[in-house]
Structure formats: structure tokens, C-alpha cells
Amino acid sequence: MAARRWSTRTLLRGLWLPVTLLVAWQGAAVLGWLNPQVLPSPWQVLQRWWVYALPADPYDPSQSRLTWLLSGELVHDAWGSLGRVLAGFAIGAVLALPLGLLMGASQRVYEWFNPLLQVLRPIPPIAWIPLSILWFGLGNPPAIFLIALGAFFPVLMNTIAGVRNVDSIYIRAALNLGANQRVLFTRVMLPAAMPYILAGARIGMGTAFIVVIVSEMIAVNNGLGFRILEAREYFWSDKIIAGMLSIGLLGLAIDMVMAALNHHLLRWHRGQENDA
Amino acid sequence: MSAAQIHIAGVHKVFGQGAQQVVALQGIDLSIAPGQFVCLLGPSGCGKSTLLNAVAGFAPPTSGRISVAGQPVQGAGPDRGMVFQEYALFPWMTVEDNIGFGLKIRHTPVAERNVTVDRLLQMLGLSEFRLRYPKDLSGGMRQRVAIARILALDSPILLMDEPFGALDALTRRSLQDELLQIQAQWQKTVLFVTHSIDEAIYLADRVVVLTYRPGTIKLDLPIALPRPRDSSSAGFNELKRELGAVVMQEQQRHQQAEQRGLAID
């Protein structure tokens, strides 16, 4: 059970600071204290956001209303960024998971791979940008490569730790019940390591989301990251801020989905009651 | 008496090397007949769990032979079902999945598996909890699931490592009674580790007391009290005094070793 519930009081307590800041910001803009080129008013940002989200063309009765509603630039950008994050994350996680399981379970495999991985791990994904463009050109491939790289290491490190921390009593119990090595791996070690693996996936997803924005600023010509850089070229500071807020909301949505997934997959877990 | 179900001959177990060396078991010979309920009794550090783990096949002895139903023990297996003090239920599986796990990995058909699981759930009073996870169960309920998980495989031998040690006195007594019923009904051979003199006399056909380090057999005592046993009867208390004196000698050696800083569990 969630320890804290959302009541009106906690909602009010959480809202007063953002609301005060917004009012102060809007007030400063109305009084002419702010240069709109540097910091536009919240109202201006909101209007620009609305235009950004709205369909670009008038409604054409030959298409469905939903397609039309979702034809705005914001939807396209958000969709593009999300697709890249998911593709890159999937590739990174699918590579990291089996390798992590093997490295966690076998000291020998760990010794084979560990020195190389320890050298590569501290290189930030962003430092791979020049090489990834040389290798993959422009467009989605280098972006997805960088995102996969960003997601790979958190999932890998946590999977190794998860397997190493499996309580040996589960292994003894499973062997006693007649488990062979394959059963031990898939039905005991993997689920027992799952809390660690999912924590790694959540961190990996966060990294993937940082990398997607950076990679869109360099290699791709759509997506939320591309859009705020494009807006800067036209001095559209209102659109930059609208884009940043969109990035924040998409990131929040992704993290909430990951948290819900964690909550569902780990419903058996003892620490669950105390989680948010 | 037919051939021994569990045969232990000249078993030694040594941990560590050089000055750190600890002789946990020394020259253990023990034969257990089918259907017999044997308690291994002794202070902590006397090697009773080591012996149980060797029979289970988790940790082979340094020397000596252990055979079960005439076959030498090689590794762990479902013919010797183990019940741990820490329950060792798989926390990611529901109660019914825990009980059915052994059958599932043995590829028993689903219908047959369900019948067995249903019967065990009912027998141990777990039917209401079948879809719960272990974290939502009390200690007594968890240990019932652990016992059901072993019974599902129909192992002829139950190995129990202080299974009721973490339970409160009332739960402990009701589980002891259930275990005795199961043992009588299914003709299981039981090797049961405990440090409770009461528990040993209440349950066992035969109590084997081990010495503290090196672990040797100090006393092998048949318990002839009629069942169901009354722990307040005169016969019960006489045995308790007798066994208590023997176990306390070993407990004192354990304490002296601890004071010399030699106790390593």
C-alpha cells in the first residue's frame, strides 16, 4: 500500500511554490522588466506551446479526426523521440541482460569481459558522437547507437550485481527440488535478480532519455531535441521553453510507466509496501 | 527391519586448512531404517547441520560414504526433500506455484500437477492462500508451504534443518503434530535437526546426540514412549533429564571454546 495518499492538502502544499513563481514571472513580464527575447512570459510560452501542439493544416474531411488532431509538430517530435528511446533502450537492454547474467553467474566470464568494460564504461555516450557519425552517418542509426550505449551499462552493471546477490538458499532449494542448470538460471536466478535488473532498467531508461535529446541536436532533423535547437536559430525563446517543458513531461511519463512496470513485476517483493 | 534407507559410514568433514582447520564431523556411522524418525540433537557448532547437508548432497563429506536406498549420494536431488529453517520459498512465486515447482520442472502434466497441489493445499490448510505471495504469509504458513513443496514430489526421505526453530511455541506444536501425522500416513523417513530437547523427545523414534567439535555420536537413544506423546508425563520428563544432562556437557564445551575465541559457526 502507498504510505502517503494524495489529499487536497498535500496538493496545495506542492502547488503554492510553482504558482507563486509563475505569477511573479508573469508579473515581471507585464511590468516590462524582462526582455521577451531572453525570457518570454509564461503566457507567451503557453500560447506558443498551443501552436506547437496544434495541427499545422486545416481539417481535411477525407482523413479521420484523430489523425488530424495528432498531426501537429509537437506530436511528431514527441513520437520521434519516444521511438528512438525505445529502440535504443531495447537494443542496449537486450545485449546487456544476457551478458550480465553470464558475468554474474560465472567468475571466468566476468574476468574475460570486465577489464574491457571497465575501460569503456566511463566514456560518456556523448563522447561517442563523432565516431558514431563516422560509422553510421546521419539520421536515426547513430542516434539509436548512442542511446543503446547509454542504456547498456546501467542494465549490465545491475544485472551482474543482481545475480551475485541471489541468496544461495534459493539455489540449494531449487537443486533439492530437482532443478538442472537451465531451470536454475531461468526460473531462479533471473527472477531473484529481477529487483536489481529493473532498477538498472530504470536508470538506463533515464540515461537513454538524456542521450536522445543530445543526439537529436546533432544527427537528426526531428524530435524534441532537434526542435529546441532549431528554435534557438530563430531566437524563438518561447518555443525553446515550450520544447523543454515537453521534454520534461515526456521524461516524467516514461519514468512513471517504468515505475508502474516495476511495481507490477515486483509485486512479490518484500520492500514493495514501502515504495511510492 | 529391512535394509537401511540412509546409510552413513565413516564420515569425516573438515573445514579450512592449517591452523584454521576445524574438524566438524569425525567417524560418523549411522543407519536409518525406512519410516524411522531420527532427531539429530546437539549444541550449535556440533556439526548436525553439516551432516544433514552432506546427506542432502549440498556439501560432500571430506571422507566416508553416504548412501541412500543403496545408491551413493551424488549431489542434491528430490529423493531427499529438504526443509530449511529459513523456509527458502521462492518469493516471486505464489503459494501454489511454489508447491507445484518441483512437479513443473519434472514436466508432470498440468492436470496431474493441479490435483496434487490442490490436495496438499487442502491437507495443510492453505487453500485460501494459494494465490498469495510468501511475503504475505506468517512463519507457520510459510513452513507449511515449504513442507507441501517437498511432499508434492513424494520424496521418501524428509531432511529438516531446525524447521520450526523460528516459530512461536504454539505454532511450533501444531506443526510438529501435523508433521507426525504426515510421517505416519505417508511412511516418510525423517532426519530432523534440532537443538531443542523437548522437540526431539516429542517427535523422534530415535535421538542421536552429537558431541561438540569434533562432531561424533555421543549417544544413540531409542524413544519408546507411546504416541501421541504427552510432554508433561513422567516418562517424558525422565528422558528430558537424561538427555538434558548429556547435551549440557556438550553445551559447556561449546561455551568454553567460545570463551577461548575458537567458536566459528
Side-chain angles (χ1 to χ4, degrees):
Chain A
M1 299 303 110
R4 278 184 307 162
R5 239 174 274 154
W6 286 105
S7 68
T8 325
R9 186 182 292 186
T10 56
L11 200 66
L12 286 177
R13 206 177 287 156
L15 274 179
W16 80 265
L17 184 61
V19 168
T20 311
L21 283 176
L22 275 175
V23 169
W25 179 8
Q26 182 68 36
V30 168
L31 290 171
W33 296 352
L34 301 175
N35 175 358
Q37 200 87 105
V38 177
L39 187 61
S41 74
W43 179 241
Q44 201 185 333
V45 170
L46 199 67
Q47 282 175 312
R48 191 54 187 257
W49 205 352
W50 182 242
V51 173
Y52 182 27
L54 234 46
D57 307 314
Y59 177 59
D60 169 6
S62 69
Q63 57 181 172
S64 87
R65 198 162 277 274
L66 188 67
T67 322
W68 175 74
L69 267 179
L70 294 180
S71 69
E73 201 181 23
L74 173 60
V75 180
H76 276 284
D77 286 340
W79 196 243
S81 299
L82 185 65
R84 276 175 213 114
V85 167
L86 294 182
F89 176 80
I91 293 171
V94 161
L95 293 174
L97 189 63
L99 184 60
L101 290 173
L102 284 171
M103 286 178 71
S106 154
Q107 188 59 29
R108 188 184 298 178
V109 176
Y110 183 80
E111 283 162 11
W112 282 343
F113 285 97
N114 192 45
L116 176 66
L117 291 168
Q118 289 306 331
V119 172
L120 293 181
R121 192 164 69 97
I123 304 174
I126 293 157
W128 286 85
I129 288 175
L131 204 55
S132 69
I133 291 174
L134 278 179
W135 285 353
F136 299 103
L138 291 174
N140 276 329
I144 290 175
F145 169 75
L146 293 169
I147 297 161
L149 208 60
F152 178 79
F153 284 104
V155 176
L156 179 77
M157 301 321 284
N158 270 44
T159 306
I160 295 172
V163 173
R164 292 201 160 172
N165 280 297
V166 173
D167 193 334
S168 67
I169 199 162
Y170 299 137
I171 293 172
R172 279 192 289 155
L175 288 174
N176 185 251
L177 293 165
N180 57 28
Q181 287 300 315
R182 194 181 55 77
V183 168
L184 202 61
F185 216 73
T186 57
R187 290 187 198 269
V188 179
M189 291 192 352
L190 185 61
M194 200 46 84
Y196 279 81
I197 295 173
L198 288 176
R202 203 164 161 187
I203 301 169
M205 193 54 114
T207 316
F209 195 66
I210 294 170
V211 176
V212 74
I213 301 304
V214 175
S215 69
E216 283 171 348
M217 291 181 170
I218 286 135
V220 202
N221 57 10
N222 66 16
L224 295 168
F226 168 80
R227 201 61 64 198
I228 60 174
L229 207 67
E230 185 199 48
R232 188 205 57 123
E233 305 208 343
Y234 298 102
F235 294 98
W236 291 337
S237 46
D238 46 3
K239 193 167 182 183
I240 294 176
I241 297 174
M244 286 168 65
L245 292 171
S246 309
I247 290 170
L249 288 178
L250 183 63
L252 179 66
I254 291 175
D255 194 59
M256 281 168 72
V257 169
M258 289 299 281
L261 191 72
N262 264 9
H263 199 77
H264 176 72
L265 287 174
L266 299 182
R267 60 195 179 281
W268 54 270
H269 199 243
R270 204 189 281 266
Q272 191 83 124
E273 298 100 308
N274 306 321
D275 283 357
Chain B
M1 193 155 71
S2 53
Q5 177 89 335
I6 303 174
H7 190 74
I8 299 167
V11 161
H12 287 256
K13 178 76 184 184
V14 182
F15 289 111
Q17 284 172 336
Q20 302 287 308
Q21 198 172 45
V22 170
V23 181
L25 295 172
Q26 192 173 56
I28 302 283
D29 295 305
L30 194 63
S31 275
I32 299 171
Q36 201 171 36
F37 197 130
V38 176
C39 275
L40 290 175
L41 181 65
S44 45
C46 73
K48 51 198 194 302
S49 291
T50 307
L51 184 58
L52 198 73
N53 281 328
V55 176
F58 294 139
T62 312
S63 65
R65 282 177 301 112
I66 300 177
S67 51
V68 164
Q71 298 296 313
V73 166
Q74 283 166 331
D79 58 325
R80 287 149 285 142
M82 180 88 160
V83 178
F84 302 87
Q85 182 176 6
E86 312 90 321
Y87 321 119
L89 298 177
F90 303 122
W92 54 90
M93 292 183 198
T94 58
V95 165
E96 62 177 6
D97 288 346
N98 263 291
I99 298 175
F101 178 77
L103 293 173
K104 189 170 184 173
I105 62 176
R106 211 184 249 197
H107 305 296
T108 307
V110 182
E112 195 182 320
R113 195 167 80 212
N114 288 342
V115 171
T116 307
V117 171
D118 282 346
R119 191 167 45 109
L120 288 166
L121 284 168
Q122 201 149 37
M123 190 174 96
L124 288 154
L126 292 162
S127 297
E128 278 175 60
F129 304 97
R130 61 187 308 155
L131 296 176
R132 299 271 188 96
Y133 287 96
K135 69 167 171 119
D136 298 324
L137 301 181
S138 67
M141 283 299 179
R142 285 181 203 180
Q143 204 53 293
R144 283 194 176 88
V145 178
I147 292 170
R149 178 168 79 170
I150 297 306
L151 293 178
L153 293 176
D154 205 15
S155 333
I157 296 173
L158 299 185
L159 303 176
M160 310 188 89
D161 193 1
E162 301 194 32
F164 309 141
L167 304 177
D168 66 85
L170 292 175
T171 310
R172 180 187 259 238
R173 178 47 49 94
S174 60
L175 272 165
Q176 286 167 343
D177 287 336
E178 282 175 61
L179 176 63
L180 286 173
Q181 249 174 34
I182 290 165
Q183 196 255 344
Q185 190 186 333
W186 301 38
Q187 292 299 305
K188 302 287 186 193
T189 307
V190 183
L191 189 55
F192 187 109
V193 163
T194 181
H195 57 240
S196 157
I197 297 163
D198 252 274
E199 187 170 47
I201 303 172
Y202 191 72
L203 294 173
D205 297 318
R206 180 179 166 197
V207 176
V208 174
V209 181
L210 296 184
T211 58
Y212 176 79
R213 226 163 266 171
T216 58
I217 293 178
K218 188 179 177 93
L219 178 71
D220 188 342
L221 184 73
I223 308 288
L225 294 176
R227 296 177 189 271
R229 288 176 182 162
D230 174 2
S231 57
S232 58
S233 70
F236 197 102
N237 281 292
E238 196 178 317
L239 277 170
K240 211 164 132 178
R241 256 194 304 281
E242 185 184 337
L243 274 172
V246 175
V247 173
M248 273 322 283
Q249 285 175 357
E250 296 309 315
Q251 176 64 22
Q252 271 156 19
R253 291 184 53 211
H254 171 54
Q255 263 165 16
Q256 283 158 9
E258 239 174 5
Q259 280 151 11
R260 291 198 306 271
L262 294 177
I264 315 147
D265 270 328

